[in-house]
Amino acid sequence: MADLQNQHPTVMEPYDLIIVGGGPAGMTAAIYGARAKMRTLLIEKAKHGGQAATTEEVENWPGSGKTTGPELMKQFREHTEHLGVEMIKEDVARVDLKGEIKVIETRKGNRYEGRAVILSPGAHPRTLGVKGEGPLRGKGVSYCATCDADFFTELDVVVVGSGDAAVEESLYLTKFCESVTMIVLHPEGTMDANKASQERAYANPKIKYVWQSAIEEIKGDGIVESVVLKHLGTGDLTEMPTNGVFVFIGTVPNTEFLKDTGLALDSRGYMLADSETMATNLDGVFAAGDARQKWLRQIVTAASDGAIAACAAEKYLAEEEHLRHEVLEPKEPVLAVFWSPASKESLDVLGWAEQANTAAGGTFKLARIDLYKSARLAQRYGVTQVPSVLLFMNGEVVDRLEGNFDDFTHWITEKTVTAAK
Amino acid sequence: MLEVNKETFEAEVLQAKGAVAVDWWSPQCEPCKELMPEVEVMAGKYGSTIKFCKVNVIENRRLALGNKVLGLPTFLFFKDGQKVAELAGPEACTPEAIEAELKKLA
Ligand SMILES: Cc1cc2nc3c(=O)[nH]c(=O)nc-3n(C[C@H](O)[C@H](O)[C@H](O)COP(=O)(O)OP(=O)(O)OC[C@H]3O[C@@H](n4cnc5c(N)ncnc54)[C@H](O)[C@@H]3O)c2cc1C
């Protein structure tokens, strides 16, 4: 493996789209990307399917009835592969997302370039942060029921948390364990999980509860032997023997590698993106899935994010292509008219610009830009109203006219004279 | 990689002279299966100095518990029958961490 680490950085034409993270969000983005004929690269560091591949029972993926996480994610993966998406197994360590060409660097030292990027790195389980948790990890402390349930056949375990994942995984554990005791922060009868899951838990005789309590410490010599529980009302400490501790108290976004890259993150590290288009604060960079600040974190919403992000990326690339072709690359001066079908004045300006240009012998190349369809582009050039006219030379804005168009013909004649020199 | 079980563990690992790496896995453990191809590559690379074994914990639960293996994936490293290092849990068992232990062991 050492020789792999010394591979030369790859030099090649940038990808249209690079997706970081191959969970349900990333794979869905890849499917949409490939179908839109974008040259797509999907980078996943571990197992395709992410968190969804670590849960046994999935009962809310439409159309599948009752399925398992690994099975569903296998189908996602096969679908993605079938469409010819290029997939590589590497851990993204550094990114440079600010330029027109985005650079993605992996821990192995390989470098990939793309014109658009979708970030879908998902999340990992939050740890309790109590004494004993670290040393006893993999020694009875677990964050993955499907991985470890078998060890606890006919043994007693505790589950920390009361959300959907905690309740669902508790139900799964009862198939193996003698007893599953849920440690719940809230007073008796209150859990964060949805009602249907709660009712199934209450109906299961193997599940017991310790209410209004938190774990203070996990004890054991080499393997878990007991937990110290603190009652949040009285402050009383009690020690409870157990063989295993399963922790499902939420997740932390995998966005460490995105800190200080200019990408906007919230105080907890979640990526901030427009909930309508998945666009981040950086041009050509989109966020999808659990690592995004959002209201519902599920497979179906991760997939939804991925689909939107890929379509938004496609639109972004088309706009960029259009901009390059029509505005930035022509050798002749370009008169870019920002217009909108709703503004009569802007339609007039389009007409005047055409006439004036013809009269001047076609000095300019005219570019029509619909303000609302190209809002991002307008923002980039500081255009806030229609009509607005920007004069580009060799890709740079050299002059602009906004607001008052009474003297437009005069202005344009003057520009024709300057351009001719 | 040599598949060992509760009957052969003693002879193949504990009585073995030199270095042995043991990969504890189960068919239900997705991270374990994901790791397997990379471990196979390492087995090819370090196979001349280190013996590579794997144990399916589903069929050898008592053996796992006896070795204090209570989470997957877990890697145990032995030298002359003595446990010298251990990596437990999916966060600890990265290909890089495993290779680092192998280098120390070889
Ligand atoms: C125990 C549990 C049970 C659940 N049960 C359900 C359920 O029944 N139904 C449901 O709808 N949802 C369920 N969920 C939630 C669901 O799994 C998530 O909402 C979904 O997986 C999020 O998808 P994602 O693609 O955003 O992120 P993830 O699934 O987290 O995938 C992200 C991927 O990105 C990779 N990655 C991260 N960083 C990098 C990097 N730097 N370089 C390369 N790759 C990287 C990771 O390895 C991972 O594979 C459950 C979650 C848990 C934890």
Side-chain angles (χ1 to χ4, degrees), chain A residues 9 68 155 195 222 234 250 276 284 352 355:
Chain A
T68 71
L155 298 181
K195 275 275 170 306
T234 61
E276 191 93 338
W352 298 336
Q355 286 162 16

Side-chain angles (χ1 to χ4, degrees), chain A residues 243-258:
Chain A
N243 303 110
V245 180
F246 284 84
V247 182
F248 301 104
I249 52 165
T251 56
V252 181
N254 297 325
T255 52
E256 203 58 41
F257 72 106
L258 297 170

Side-chain angles (χ1 to χ4, degrees), chain A residues 1 46 89 139 148 150, chain B residues 34 38 58 61 68 72 86:
Chain A
M1 210 142 281
K89 187 173 171 185
K139 301 274 143 191
D148 299 330
D150 256 294
Chain B
E34 192 62 21
E38 290 178 80
I58 302 291
R61 204 171 287 122
K68 299 205 167 172
L72 290 182
E86 155 164 27

Side-chain angles (χ1 to χ4, degrees), chain A residues 66-261:
Chain A
K66 229 174 139 115
T67 183
T68 71
E71 178 55 34
L72 184 62
M73 288 304 109
K74 194 169 140 248
Q75 290 170 356
F76 269 54
R77 190 192 163 138
E78 284 167 1
H79 191 167
T80 312
E81 266 173 349
H82 180 73
L83 290 171
V85 172
E86 210 177 309
M87 299 192 193
I88 56 164
K89 187 173 171 185
E90 283 199 57
D91 185 356
V92 172
R94 276 172 305 279
V95 293
D96 185 351
L97 303 171
K98 287 191 192 139
E100 199 183 322
I101 300 292
K102 323 288 177 197
V103 183
I104 308 285
E105 266 178 43
T106 63
R107 207 166 295 284
K108 282 181 187 165
N110 289 331
R111 192 184 146 95
Y112 302 93
E113 295 184 349
R115 296 189 189 281
V117 168
I118 294 176
L119 300 166
S120 49
H124 63 272
R126 196 148 78 81
T127 56
L128 285 166
V130 301
K131 198 169 159 213
E133 185 184 22
L136 292 168
R137 206 173 177 148
K139 301 274 143 191
V141 175
S142 174
Y143 308 85
C144 176
T146 44
C147 300
D148 299 330
D150 256 294
F151 289 112
F152 301 94
T153 302
E154 288 165 23
L155 298 181
D156 304 303
V157 301
V158 301
V159 166
V160 191
S162 73
D164 287 344
V167 171
E168 289 297 326
E169 301 307 300
S170 294
L171 284 162
Y172 175 71
L173 285 164
T174 59
K175 295 182 184 167
F176 302 81
C177 304
E178 179 69 27
S179 77
V180 175
T181 304
M182 296 190 69
I183 314 292
V184 183
L185 285 178
H186 310 297
E188 179 155 2
T190 312
M191 293 207 270
D192 296 321
N194 69 75
K195 275 275 170 306
S197 299
Q198 286 190 36
E199 272 158 28
R200 280 168 59 219
Y202 291 136
N204 190 310
K206 280 190 174 181
I207 302 185
K208 301 176 177 134
Y209 307 87
V210 175
W211 299 103
Q212 211 177 343
S213 299
I215 292 203
E216 260 313 269
E217 185 183 346
I218 303 169
K219 288 182 161 179
D221 179 13
I223 56 173
V224 168
E225 287 161 9
S226 68
V227 287
V228 178
L229 300 174
K230 181 179 186 174
H231 190 276
L232 299 173
T234 61
D236 289 347
L237 297 177
T238 45
E239 191 166 337
M240 177 183 153
T242 189
N243 303 110
V245 180
F246 284 84
V247 182
F248 301 104
I249 52 165
T251 56
V252 181
N254 297 325
T255 52
E256 203 58 41
F257 72 106
L258 297 170
K259 287 203 177 123
D260 306 317
T261 59

Side-chain angles (χ1 to χ4, degrees), chain A residues 314-384:
Chain A
E314 184 195 4
K315 181 166 183 286
Y316 163 81
L317 290 174
E319 276 174 24
E320 287 298 299
E321 179 60 33
H322 182 76
L323 178 72
R324 265 200 308 277
H325 191 256
E326 299 293 321
V327 179
L328 302 178
E329 285 173 355
K331 290 280 164 285
E332 64 267 50
V334 176
L335 207 52
V337 182
F338 287 79
W339 68 288
S340 141
S343 154
K344 173 159 182 327
E345 197 191 359
S346 76
L347 294 171
D348 288 344
V349 169
L350 270 179
W352 298 336
E354 228 153 285
Q355 286 162 16
N357 194 33
T358 315
T363 313
F364 302 107
K365 186 171 158 44
L366 280 184
R368 298 164 185 77
I369 302 172
D370 183 326
L371 180 75
Y372 297 103
K373 284 191 183 155
S374 308
R376 196 181 40 77
L377 211 143
Q379 201 188 357
R380 187 188 306 173
Y381 290 105
V383 173
T384 52

